[in-house]
Amino acid sequence: MATAMAEAETRQRLLRTVKKEVKQIMEEAVTRKFVHEDSSHIVSFCAAVEACVLHGLKRRAAGFLRSNKIAALFMKVGKSFAPAEELCRKAQELEQIIETKRNQSLQSQDSLRRLPRLPSLNPQVVKNLWIRTALFEKVLDKIVLYLVENSSKFYEKEAVLMDPVDGPILASLLVGPCALEYTKMKTADHFWTDPSADELVQRHRIHGGHCRQDSPTKRPALCIQKRHSSSSMDERPSPSPSARDYVESLHQNNRATLLFGKNNVLVQPRDDMEAIPGYLSLHQTADIMTLKWTPNQLMNGSVGDLDYERSVYWDYAMTIRLEEIVYLHCHQQVDSGGTVVLVSQDGIQRPPLRFPKGGHLLQFLSCLENGLLPHGQLDPPLWSQRGKGKVFPKLRKRVPQGSGSSDSVSDKEEDEATDYVFRILFPNSQSEFVNPPDLMDQGATMWHPTLRKSSCSSCSQGSLSEGAPPNGCNHERAPLKLLCDNMKYQIISRAFYGWLAYCRHLSTVRTHLSALVNHTIVEPDVPCDAYRGLTTKVWQTFLQDCTAYKEQELLRLVYFGGVEPSLRKEVWPFLLGHYQFGMSEVERKEVDEQVRACYEQTMREWLDCEAIVRQREKEQHAAALAKCSSGASVDSTSQKMIHRDSTVSNESSQSCSSDRQSLARLQSDSSSSTQQELLDMYTLNLHRIEKDVQRCDRNYWYFTPTNLEKLRNIMCSYIWRHLEIGYVQGMCDLLAPLLVILDDEAMAFSCFTELMKRMNQNFPHGGAMDTHFANMRSLIQILDSELFELMHQNGDYTHFYFCYRWFLLDFKRELVYDDVFAVWETIWAAKYASSGHFVLFIALALVEIYRDIILENNMDFTDIIKFFNEMAEHHNIKQILSLARDLVCKVQMLIENK
């Protein structure tokens, strides 16, 4: 018996894996309009299908000496099934091509560089080659269906394909993927193919230990740690095969426009090494411009065999946001194409960019100026010259005092290349780094060429010759001194006003958040360690002597450690308010009797009403059939319907004569129209309940047909007593865990009624959901401003609609049943121990647990919904609850100003 159950569980597990992978592929096909052959979902799908096909396979069907069992099986099928025969021919041709390429690569001297570029040599592709080929040729479903129909020839009795239910289900699941079109083309955003949530979590675990978090650019390649400043030298690179992904992101795609690109731009990363060439690119998205420089050694996708060498070159790569740059120092040398030094708002200089000959410096400035429009501009702007396009501005040179008249400047000096300092201005924004008018008056010619010494390090390397005029960017020191004084003033002002704003903000925070938490902080270790939870020993002591433990102490134990699973049936009625702490056993029995009597009375009422509803539907159906067959007129049909309603009332009264008193609610109505309205309302709710009950957690062991009937009875009883609210989808989800734990209709009915006093407001007829969203927005804005900014920038999903299901069902669909039990009892105890809005902090903890993944992948609203849908029932609930309790304590301490 145990062996049979284990085999059945194995079959179900294999089938669930295939269902999951089919869902991933179909979602990708819908959202992206195509599926790439190299998608990670295809690899996972083929592995799952292969595991099912090989499960329980007879040894003689797989070949005794064959290492590739799938190939042997398909070749046997091909002898009697034409689609399989054609597949075998194509798969063998592919195997021959792969083997030929492998032999050629081994003989080649540069095999290490060429091997990763052969996608057909991917180990996963080779391993699942036959399944992949059958999928792409659209015959996989036909072959599996053939195997199901002839399973006795190939499989043992415990195999998935031998099962009369699971086998056909597996074949049906493959119809959808086999109907899709797969592409080999590298589309514009191919290298940003969205991986599954499991894959994102695994990547974060692998890279999270040694990768520092920075604010991401627009969807970077997931395996690459990209640079956000030239000073990010402590970051470590990704493995070299992903370098191709990064290089691909440097070119034009649908997420960013490539404004400028030039290779062989020299950069000297460190003073102790020579300048190295690289690819310089200027990218523009909807809101930012980004400058990237990548060493040529990384452009090939590999930099050698040593990890150290590869990591060094990744440290040299730069990603610079143009909004952080204030000045561009441009130096035109006769023997080169020119140099640009970028100076940021904090005065830090980026390594000089040395352009090759050919006017590339001017072309770069022209592309930059065009990209800044219409919101920004270069100061001074480039000039437009007929026949030449953009040229450097011809600015007035300043002659040093005492150097004589302007005639002393020779014609040769006029023709020499000059230096410029361009400033990036945004006229519509109030930048704190714009110089005041008096400073600009004195230093108005700051960018004027040749006669002023440069303030950048690349200018200061040359010394002044004797008797020669200074040849740099800044000769007069007064403007620089004024600039420094102005910066000091701005720093002090910013610090003061920042402190003042913080104080005002803290006051606002306390005002808005004070209602979300209890003001008394409950410690987990006073008077005893509460992380052990509510144990059997403590509970039995409490039942024997109610004065042994106070209610607050029991709730503290539940809040920090939960309830021992064997005690939940006894403890939950106390937590939900069915019993009051301190009740004696006699008082509890009286409550149970009252609740049971009320429940039975309610059952009789709605069952009698249901009998009337069923009879009405039966006669309406018969009347509709008669109308279709006889073609009766509309008027006669209406008269029959009126006569039928009165007849139904009489018949139902006669058939339920023993239960006349149970229909007091119906009989007490003053008019037949009120009765009709009541019946119509209950009929509508009854149909909704029946649909939801049949779909409620069908895979969970508890919900047999008998227990589903109990669920229906409780739900109908509750709705009968609350017809003004009616049934809303999701109520069955809230009732199901209660019935699993209590396993008693009357008790579950009473506890569900108590639970719905809080949960009713979350449904559309209440207004609590908008309050939850507003509070969630305030919490995350205060406790994690970086994540809030990302949400605001990526389509502004700070409305937090992705939390709707969390709040509606108290996370019931996000967790497995055992975790739901732990979360619910913690929420109920938290109302008295820490916060009556503990669901907010669980939601915040769910987001914070994955914040690094959200930031790394720059998720928008669609991404985050997809991510959390895929992560459902895969969360670490102990970690989430611990973080939620810490967040509550953090807010409490913030309010108390500790």
Side-chain angles (χ1 to χ4, degrees), residues 14 80 100 169 181 214 277 329 379 407 425 441 467 484 535 549 600 637 648 658 665 684 699 747 756 762 805 836:
L14 291 172
S80 55
T100 302
I169 289 178
E181 295 293 336
D214 285 315
H329 293 237
D379 183 27
D407 297 338
L425 294 180
D441 290 341
C484 293
T535 61
Y549 290 93
E600 291 173 354
T637 302
V648 169
S658 61
R665 187 172 182 175
L684 178 62
N699 296 327
M747 179 73 74
M756 289 303 293
N762 291 336
R805 191 173 70 181

Side-chain angles (χ1 to χ4, degrees), residues 121-141:
L121 293 180
N122 187 315
Q124 291 293 341
V125 173
V126 175
K127 181 179 179 181
N128 303 314
L129 178 65
W130 287 72
I131 298 291
R132 287 172 60 91
T133 307
L135 174 65
F136 298 153
E137 295 297 327
K138 305 182 186 305
V139 295
L140 180 60
D141 56 333

Side-chain angles (χ1 to χ4, degrees), residues 617-637:
E617 292 178 346
K618 182 178 179 180
E619 294 193 2
Q620 286 175 355
H621 183 65
L625 290 177
K627 180 180 178 180
C628 293
S629 60
S630 62
S633 64
V634 176
D635 294 337
S636 62
T637 302

Side-chain angles (χ1 to χ4, degrees), residues 243-414:
R244 290 191 301 275
D245 299 1
Y246 174 74
V247 171
E248 193 72 19
S249 73
L250 299 177
H251 302 292
Q252 178 85 16
N253 56 69
N254 64 349
R255 299 179 185 276
T257 303
L258 181 65
L259 300 179
F260 175 82
K262 184 70 186 80
N263 56 358
N264 294 327
V265 176
L266 298 178
V267 169
Q268 184 178 358
R270 295 202 309 255
D271 295 337
D272 58 348
M273 64 182 297
E274 297 292 332
I276 58 177
Y279 178 74
L280 182 70
S281 55
L282 182 62
H283 306 264
Q284 185 177 43
T285 61
D287 51 353
I288 62 172
M289 292 178 62
T290 307
L291 186 68
K292 301 181 181 180
W293 180 84
T294 308
N296 283 349
Q297 287 81 354
L298 299 178
M299 300 298 289
N300 297 327
S302 176
V303 293
D305 299 332
L306 298 177
D307 290 341
Y308 171 76
E309 181 182 1
R310 186 162 66 241
S311 65
V312 165
Y313 283 114
W314 275 113
D315 285 339
Y316 299 156
M318 295 188 298
T319 298
I320 304 172
R321 295 163 63 96
L322 264 299
E323 63 184 15
E324 301 174 357
I325 302 302
V326 178
Y327 294 106
L328 287 83
H329 293 237
C330 301
H331 308 285
Q332 302 178 78
Q333 293 86 11
V334 178
D335 57 344
S336 68
T339 302
V340 171
V341 178
L342 305 179
V343 182
S344 61
Q345 296 173 348
D346 52 8
I348 297 178
Q349 300 177 15
R350 302 301 193 269
L353 304 172
R354 302 179 185 176
F355 288 83
K357 293 182 179 180
H360 300 294
L361 172 58
L362 183 59
Q363 184 181 5
F364 166 74
L365 293 175
S366 177
C367 294
L368 174 61
E369 186 175 48
N370 292 334
L372 290 173
L373 296 175
H375 304 294
Q377 64 185 43
L378 287 180
D379 183 27
L382 297 176
W383 289 8
S384 296
Q385 187 172 347
R386 183 177 299 177
K388 292 185 178 181
K390 293 293 183 70
V391 296
F392 283 101
K394 298 183 181 300
L395 300 177
R396 174 180 56 85
K397 290 187 179 182
R398 293 186 59 188
V399 181
Q401 296 179 0
S403 62
S405 65
S406 59
D407 297 338
S408 61
V409 181
S410 63
D411 295 337
K412 179 180 179 181
E413 186 178 352
E414 288 289 344

Side-chain angles (χ1 to χ4, degrees), residues 214 217 219-221 224-228 235 246 249 292 319:
D214 285 315
T217 54
R219 192 178 295 279
I224 300 292
Q225 289 296 317
K226 298 169 76 173
R227 302 302 182 269
H228 305 292
E235 298 182 16
Y246 174 74
S249 73
K292 301 181 181 180
T319 298

Side-chain angles (χ1 to χ4, degrees), residues 24-35 180:
Q24 298 283 357
I25 291 177
M26 302 308 291
E27 285 182 353
E28 182 175 350
V30 171
T31 57
R32 301 176 58 80
K33 310 305 181 186
F34 72 93
V35 180
L180 299 176

Side-chain angles (χ1 to χ4, degrees), residues 84-102:
E85 181 182 9
E86 180 66 17
L87 169 68
C88 293
R89 183 184 62 79
K90 293 183 178 180
Q92 288 173 337
E93 291 178 357
L94 288 174
E95 284 184 333
Q96 185 63 37
I97 294 173
I98 291 174
E99 186 64 27
T100 302
K101 288 184 176 181
R102 180 182 286 112

